[in-house]
Amino acid sequence: GVQTCALPIYGGFEAQPPVWQQNVQGGRFRFDIDTTQKHSGTASALLQCLEQAQVAEQKLLNATSWARWYQVNIGADPARTYRLRAWYRTASECHGPVRIKIWVTNTEKTTMEVRGLNTNGIWRELKIDGIKSPAGQVGVYLNVDGVGTVWFDDVELAVVNG
């Protein structure tokens, strides 16, 4: 997607080199920049669960599998309030629940979260309002738990006042 945000988080996934980091908490996942699926622009971020975590690990994670795209140390003016918006879609052939959890960390409310479920191939928007960061920096995490394929695009962190 085209970047329209106030902060440079490169949420359209066209940036070279890529600025989003990858992390697997449990299970086996494929991460990719996908130019065949996008909400806008020329690319989106693909996250596909290939294999669930082992049963003992699932109990520790409280999830069947878990991976995420993320960025940390994003500068945020402590005097301003921000809104995070992100678009995501799940593959229409997703079987079982896929849980999407988008986090903004290091805020005055510690971690702020919004959740989404299967979209059956339709792009849907998630947003978090009222983000303030007394520390002057936040992290953004695009989490996926469950077996299936998810795309993220047009992630933006924008000033809503000040």
Side-chain angles (χ1 to χ4, degrees):
V2 178
Q3 180 175 340
T4 59
C5 58
L7 298 182
I9 64 173
Y10 305 104
F13 300 97
E14 287 87 7
Q16 291 299 326
V19 295
W20 290 87
Q21 299 179 67
Q22 306 166 1
N23 173 259
V24 176
Q25 295 287 314
R28 202 165 57 83
F29 283 82
R30 173 179 160 229
F31 292 83
D32 202 2
I33 300 300
D34 189 344
T35 56
T36 68
Q37 301 290 327
K38 63 257 182 202
H39 179 255
S40 72
T42 60
S44 66
L46 169 94
L47 187 47
Q48 180 180 32
C49 179
L50 303 171
E51 185 179 310
Q52 291 186 350
Q54 299 300 315
V55 173
E57 193 177 25
Q58 289 183 26
K59 289 183 175 143
L60 290 172
L61 295 172
N62 193 27
T64 58
S65 55
W66 180 13
R68 57 201 176 183
W69 290 94
Y70 72 99
Q71 284 188 55
V72 293
N73 303 323
I74 302 165
D77 183 339
R80 293 185 167 188
T81 301
Y82 296 85
R83 170 185 297 129
L84 180 89
R85 294 170 53 163
W87 289 84
Y88 81 101
R89 73 179 283 264
T90 62
S92 52
E93 73 279 358
C94 267
H95 299 293
V98 175
R99 291 188 300 196
I100 315 300
K101 290 186 269 189
I102 297 179
W103 295 345
V104 177
T105 60
N106 212 17
T107 73
E108 67 182 359
K109 298 174 183 169
T110 315
T111 297
M112 298 174 75
E113 177 183 272
V114 63
R115 294 181 180 213
L117 297 171
N118 276 357
T119 69
N120 294 310
I122 298 167
W123 285 98
R124 299 227 186 260
E125 182 185 42
L126 292 174
K127 62 185 173 182
I128 300 175
D129 287 307
I131 300 166
K132 287 177 126 349
S133 178
Q137 62 182 24
V138 297
V140 175
Y141 294 79
L142 310 174
N143 297 283
V144 174
D145 159 19
V147 176
T149 305
V150 180
W151 292 266
F152 294 98
D153 202 1
D154 298 329
V155 180
E156 65 179 34
L157 191 60
V159 175
V160 291
N161 75 6

